Amino acid sequence: MARGKTVCGGLSTLEVTLMVLFVVMTAVSVGLISVMAVHWEDRLQEPEPTVNPTAGPHENPYLIGVGRADCTGPPGDVPLMGYANLEQTAAGIHTRLFSRAFIVDNGSKRVVFVTADIGMVSQRLRLEVLKELEVKYGILYRQDNVILSGTHTHSGLGGYFQYTLFMITSKGYIKPSIKAIVNGIVKSIDIAHRSIKPGRIYMSKGELEESNLNRSPHSYLNNPAEERNKYKSNTDKQVTLLKFTDLDGDGMGMLSWFAVHAVSMNYTNQMVSSDNMGYASYLLEQEKNIGFLPGEGPFVAAFASSNLGDASPNIRGPFCANTGLPCDYLNSSCPIGGLKMCVALGPAGSDMFNNTKIIGENIFKRAKDLYGKARQEVRGPLHAAHQWVNMTDVTVQLNSTHTGRTCKPALGHSFAAGTTDGGGDLNFTQGAVEGDPFWDGIRDALLGAPSNETQDCHQPKPILFSTGEMTWPLPWHPSIVDVQIITIGPVAIVAIPGEMTTMSGRRIREAVKQELEAQGTFSNAEVVVAGLCNIYTHYITTYEEYQIQRYEGASTIYGPHTLSAYIQKFRGLAKAIAEVRTTYCTVHELPKGPEPPFFKDSQLFSLLPAAAVDKKPINTTFGEVLERVDPEYTVVSLTWSKCYEDKTFVTVEKYHNSTAHWDVVHTDASWETRFHWVKNGAESNATIEWHIPLSAQAGSYRIRHFGHYKQWKGFLETVIMAYEGVSDVFRVSKIKSNY
């Protein structure tokens, strides 16, 4: 390994109050995330689609575009979105984050699926992306035909939400963070749009073992035995894959779905990372894009989330960190140390980098195999269906005589317990069906008590935060939610606005498939559950799992009938699609539903202080190497001065004698590099590590670091200045690496 060091560079009442709420809420919610009307515009109003001029009568008429773009954002000081850990702010880069877009057009309609290396898609993020697309493309890309999904990495940046709860737990609305994600998603769609050409799609399915584990098996067991007996596992092992090629059969891209939490990088990590799903993309793209650096090249490989709500990559299960014994089965706690000591371990134990590597490799290898075997061609029309739904007031027909309804949002006591992938710090436990007078008293004093109506609606959940009744300074949770389905031939992609548990996802798949096939329009429909889409509404458990009130049930915010309401709504969308008679008909009109709010920037708040002016030690310069490299390495590590920049921070370069040029062989998008940023007041050091792979050629190398620093210009004005630093030249020997 090569190493080196670098040098860097009065509150209002509302702000004080929000800071207090931030501390309180973060303390009790460490496990927070661990934690149409189908409306087609009249064809005369749509832009003319590009028609495939080369397609013969027996050829697939699809036009296909793929694109990838960086969406990393500022990897310093911004909170990571996932574990709601107060101390977990970005301090460097493990791997860069990317948005990957897929466009399919059949000459009359067009659909788009985007998966981004972020925790989840927020309503604010989706609305901003759609606004940008409208400016560029008019009504070509709309809320009904564009799905945005998150891979659910817990090591992506936060700060892109417009509801109070999420703003409090990620230090508010952070413009540089959301701008980077919006720009990355839009750019990936731009690239896909420009790359459109005639092609084919093939589907392949298989199972992947030893890569996910149910972290709430007690809840799963509360589902009916006859239903559980239809499946051989309490997690979905299914991998569904779409292979995109041009008409010559050359690969353009791959899109797959698998149910596993991207939490192999645990809550102690402070580097931006795409986690296990991102590593799978990295491996396949590097294999297909020979001669290109990571994040470059024409082939796009996307690994999207599915019904991962109770599916953990920590397949060794939960153990007490202080004794090594298994945790209590019912509430995931330990006799000594309680909840915090109960930690689930991945295949490599506590080594999060190797855990990420192993799970990512497993996903990659299965997808590579399925990609090679994909022979079932996807043919048929494209359709899209979308509605906005007020999820706080949906009446559900439970049977011929009984109805239920959804509730105003609320979080239960076990929400604050977190999960075995990242537990809470206080004395909450999973499976709590009774309140706690101490915490309830604090809640009542700070935030107000939940109404009797909300308490009754959420039974048996003991309410910790009645977020649906909290509106200051903005609503704490969303009421208006997207439901959406797009179909590509027989493949239906269901956009789930949250984290569905294993059995919830199975019920959705079954219901949508049944509805699509009921009209005879679809035959052998393949239904894909795409997770973390369009808006984040926490978890979606089955009614039976909800009764157990583990973390997932306590985080099902619209009450015990949440899943039934979604099934009802998605059935409606599926029915509308199935009733379309020909490719060129519009989907039967359904009510569009109430549009969600788009709050002004002035209404949003940030608790992240502005970046200070950077300082450096006396007699040094920004970008100066603080620790010199050794003359020779068998595996390599180094240290510099640095501040925020939104582009590449690191390059590893090899000298070629024949050309007398330095060629870049790695960047900070590479798995082999790690970029650490350590802040010390107004000074900061950047340490860059290169974990030399076995494939590295012997020769002369150097490491370069790029960044920006902030300094005063005059008395009141500041300016951002660029800098770079370069290491001494060092040799790499061609011997076995210990990495």
Side-chain angles (χ1 to χ4, degrees), residues 614-671:
D614 296 298
K615 296 181 180 179
K616 56 182 178 59
I618 298 174
N619 298 323
T620 65
T621 60
F622 290 102
E624 181 177 332
V625 178
L626 300 184
E627 292 181 3
R628 315 310 300 185
V629 297
D630 293 333
E632 187 167 348
Y633 287 91
T634 54
V635 210
V636 193
S637 176
L638 260 167
T639 305
W640 277 270
S641 322
K642 122 111 208 44
C643 259
Y644 162 65
E645 183 192 21
D646 61 354
K647 297 180 182 178
T648 298
F649 293 98
V650 178
T651 58
V652 179
E653 302 173 358
K654 184 179 185 298
Y655 187 74
H656 283 269
N657 293 320
S658 60
T659 62
H661 284 162
W662 289 94
D663 292 342
V664 176
V665 295
H666 295 289
T667 67
D668 52 8
S670 301
W671 174 263

Side-chain angles (χ1 to χ4, degrees), residues 133-144:
L133 291 174
E134 184 179 15
V135 170
K136 287 192 168 194
Y137 300 105
I139 60 171
L140 182 59
Y141 300 117
R142 312 170 300 276
Q143 76 274 1
D144 63 323

Side-chain angles (χ1 to χ4, degrees), residues 261-330:
H261 257 79
V263 292
S264 292
M265 299 295 289
N266 64 39
Y267 62 89
T268 66
N269 172 55
Q270 288 191 272
M271 288 188 291
V272 170
S273 174
S274 58
D275 211 281
N276 46 43
M277 301 294 264
Y279 185 53
S281 289
Y282 171 84
L283 290 173
L284 190 54
E285 288 180 347
Q286 285 295 97
E287 183 170 295
K288 296 292 184 180
N289 294 319
I290 297 172
F292 287 91
L293 291 169
E296 300 177 4
F299 190 91
V300 177
F303 292 83
S305 59
S306 190
N307 52 322
L308 50 66
D310 51 5
S312 170
N314 295 311
I315 58 176
R316 290 173 61 177
F319 292 86
C320 295
N322 48 4
T323 65
L325 298 174
C327 303
D328 179 270
Y329 177 78
L330 297 180

Side-chain angles (χ1 to χ4, degrees), residues 130 376 490:
L130 290 173
Q376 180 183 346

